């Protein structure tokens, strides 16, 4: 049975002078997508999100190695807190990526985040074309510039609630067309 | 890896587009950091959004859009060619290699229109007749903005395309504008 995140973090914290490379690599691999999602949501830039993954997770591993994480079994909370703090610092312009990479440059080379998910464009386009005109317009207007339902509604002279209904129906049809698992409503 | 209490697709979308409160977003983020399954589903949504952006940038989609969307395309650095046509009017048009999109701005009396269909009728050498049903529009602007697939348009020979806007209601339908596009490849 696979170890949970907290157990991996505890192993890293208890490793002592010789780092537990296997546990560190596995924890990095697991947490990288979660940090990247946070970064994409708050920074809206794939490169900035990739940088955030590196900054947050290298800091986390360093803190674990040094025994400075009080509750390694709650590592997810520690990483989320570090994400929040780092994004605030980035927004204030006080975070210096170059300085961080200077500190952890050697360490950074040892870890690699999993590639972000990518869709098969050749499958997506026919699926978008199979939507109704209104559904396609709502999807494109929503996701091209990440606009909220109320904004899209104003642009198309319909209510935000109506946009949400059309958007949800369109996404369900897209998921079905793309062959995604139907595990939710 | 499956989640016993997965975040709904609706909520994932609302989170991604910033439609939830800061407090709700924080709660969702706590869930993501403890849940690889929901993180992966959110990543799939992010990938879909990226795929939509790429399809627009690459000129692969035909669609009806808004004025604000055209501005967003321009802000994203896309090269947009626009043709504004009055009802009954015609225009000589083309698409160049460096154009990312061509916008047809069809002027029309849209006040009171609840459903709008667009019928494309071929001239000699044109595309087959096609009817687009319930095309979205912003009545206040008095324009219907249509973007054909730039990728497809770039492969088309010289042809004439006639478009007709139909206002559809429970009592029937009536034409509110005819437009002729004389396309020449560049």
């Amino acid at each position: 049975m696979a170890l949970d995140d907290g157990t991996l973090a505890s192993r890293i914290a208890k490793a002592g002078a010789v780092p537990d490379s296997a546990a560190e690599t596995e924890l990095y691999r697991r947490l990288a997508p979660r940090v990247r999602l946070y970064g994409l949501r708050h920074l809206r830039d794939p490169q900035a999100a990739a940088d955030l993954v590196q900054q947050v997770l290298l800091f986390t591993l360093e803190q674990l190695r040094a025994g400075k994480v009080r509750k390694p079994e709650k590592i997810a909370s520690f990483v989320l807190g570090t994400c929040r703090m780092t994004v605030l610092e980035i927004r204030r312009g006080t975070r210096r990526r170059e300085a961080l990479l200077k500190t952890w440059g050697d360490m950074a080379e040892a870890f690699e985040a999993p590639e972000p998910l990518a869709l098969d464009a050749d499958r997506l386009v026919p699926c978008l074309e199979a939507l109704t005109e209104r559904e396609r317009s709502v999807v494109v207007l929503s996701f091209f510039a990440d606009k909220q339902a109320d904004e899209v509604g104003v642009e198309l002279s319909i209510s935000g609630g109506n946009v949400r209904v059309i958007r949800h129906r369109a996404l369900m049809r897209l998921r079905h067309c793309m062959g995604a698992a139907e595990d939710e409503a | 890896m499956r989640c016993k209490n997965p975040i709904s697709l609706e909520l994932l979308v609302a989170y991604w587009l910033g439609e939830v409160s800061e407090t709700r977003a924080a709660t969702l983020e706590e869930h993501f950091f403890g849940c690889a399954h929901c993180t992966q589903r959110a990543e799939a949504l992010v990938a879909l959004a990226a795929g939509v952006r790429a399809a627009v940038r690459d000129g692969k989609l035909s669609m009806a859009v808004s004025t604000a969307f055209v501005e967003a395309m321009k802000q994203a650095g896309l090269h947009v060619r626009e043709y504004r046509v009055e009802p009954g009017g015609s225009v000589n048009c083309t698409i160049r290699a460096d154009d990312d999109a061509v916008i047809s701005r069809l002027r029309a009396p849209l006040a009171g229109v609840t459903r709008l269909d667009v019928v494309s009728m071929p001239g000699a050498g044109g595309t087959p007749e096609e009817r687009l049903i319930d095309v979205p529009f912003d009545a206040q602007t008095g324009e219907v903005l249509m973007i054909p697939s730039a990728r497809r348009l770039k492969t088309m020979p010289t042809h004439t395309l006639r478009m007709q806007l139909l206002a559809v209601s429970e009592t029937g339908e009536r034409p509110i504008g005819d437009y002729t596009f004389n396309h020449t490849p560049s």
Side-chain angles (χ1 to χ4, degrees):
Chain A
M1 192 175 164
L3 298 175
D4 62 33
D5 299 342
T7 306
L8 282 172
S10 297
R11 264 179 52 176
I12 295 165
K14 289 173 187 162
V18 182
D20 186 337
S21 300
E24 290 184 354
T25 303
E26 177 61 12
L27 191 65
Y28 194 101
R29 186 191 68 77
R30 286 189 197 181
L31 294 176
R34 304 175 208 180
V35 178
R36 181 168 54 216
L37 176 64
Y38 185 94
L40 285 168
R41 166 67 163 68
H42 291 272
L43 301 170
R44 298 283 168 184
D45 175 60
Q47 188 53 54
D51 289 346
L52 184 76
V53 170
Q54 207 171 45
Q55 292 173 31
V56 167
L57 293 184
L58 293 180
F59 175 76
T60 299
L61 292 177
E62 187 204 48
Q63 295 293 299
L64 280 169
R65 283 181 185 181
K68 292 181 180 172
V69 179
R70 279 202 307 137
K71 295 180 178 174
E73 69 278 9
K74 296 198 173 173
I75 193 63
S77 298
F78 179 87
V79 175
L80 175 55
T82 306
C83 282
R84 287 175 175 153
M85 188 184 68
T86 308
V87 165
L88 277 176
E89 288 173 347
I90 288 170
R91 285 187 176 147
R92 287 190 199 123
T94 53
R95 189 58 122 178
R96 296 279 181 271
R97 178 172 180 260
E98 292 74 16
L100 287 162
L101 291 180
K102 198 173 175 183
T103 307
W104 295 313
D106 295 340
M107 201 172 157
E109 290 173 11
F111 301 98
E112 203 171 323
E115 285 294 311
L117 284 179
L119 290 190
D120 181 350
D122 291 338
R123 286 179 69 190
L124 177 62
V125 170
C127 289
L128 286 166
E129 285 177 339
L131 298 175
T132 67
E133 296 302 318
R134 195 166 285 274
E135 287 170 350
R136 186 163 58 253
S137 294
V138 164
V139 167
V140 169
L141 265 59
S142 296
F143 293 111
F144 182 76
D146 293 329
K147 285 192 175 172
Q148 297 181 6
D150 290 344
E151 285 178 273
V152 173
V154 167
E155 291 177 26
L156 297 181
S157 300
I158 54 179
S159 71
N162 201 352
V163 169
R164 275 184 275 274
V165 170
I166 296 168
R167 190 178 68 193
H168 183 68
R169 190 174 59 218
L171 288 173
M172 294 301 280
R173 291 185 63 192
L174 279 175
R175 281 168 46 84
H176 181 71
C177 180
M178 298 289 289
E182 295 293 333
D183 63 346
E184 61 192 278
Chain B
M1 185 180 110
R2 293 189 73 81
C3 177
K4 287 177 184 169
N5 190 20
I7 298 169
S8 69
L9 176 62
E10 235 168 338
L11 199 47
L12 287 178
V13 175
Y15 169 74
W16 174 250
L17 295 176
E19 292 174 350
V20 296
S21 68
E22 288 293 313
T23 310
R24 189 80 174 102
T27 306
L28 291 170
E29 281 157 3
E30 281 165 23
H31 182 99
F32 288 131
F33 271 83
C35 181
H37 177 67
C38 287
T39 298
Q40 192 176 55
R41 289 171 52 248
E43 276 197 301
L45 178 69
V46 174
L48 175 74
V52 167
R53 282 193 291 275
V56 171
R57 282 201 194 96
D58 296 344
K60 291 180 175 174
L61 292 177
S62 298
M63 56 203 167
V65 297
S66 63
T67 301
F69 180 81
V70 175
E71 290 310 310
M73 289 179 85
K74 291 175 185 173
Q75 280 177 15
L78 299 184
H79 192 263
V80 175
R81 179 178 297 275
E82 299 184 54
Y83 295 102
R84 182 175 273 110
V85 196
E86 296 294 331
S90 67
V91 65
N92 295 327
C93 51
T94 191
I95 182 167
R96 297 195 194 284
D98 63 343
D99 289 332
D100 296 299
V102 173
I103 317 285
S104 302
R105 290 181 175 268
L106 310 177
R107 303 276 303 159
L110 295 164
V113 175
T114 53
R115 184 185 126 184
L116 185 76
D117 289 3
V118 179
V119 181
S120 302
M121 289 162 280
T127 54
E129 182 166 323
E130 186 181 20
R131 181 167 183 147
L132 307 178
I133 295 167
D134 193 20
V135 171
F137 60 93
D138 179 358
Q140 291 190 334
T141 62
E143 289 183 339
V144 180
L145 274 61
M146 303 294 295
I147 301 183
S149 160
R151 187 164 284 207
R152 207 172 300 147
L153 199 56
K154 285 177 181 177
T155 66
M156 294 184 79
T158 298
H159 69 278
T160 298
L161 179 72
R162 193 169 148 245
M163 296 178 85
Q164 185 175 57
L165 299 187
L166 293 170
V168 182
S169 67
E170 288 176 359
T171 56
E173 60 187 38
R174 62 185 169 88
I176 57 171
D178 284 277
Y179 313 84
T180 303
F181 294 87
N182 301 308
H183 174 81
T184 309
S186 59

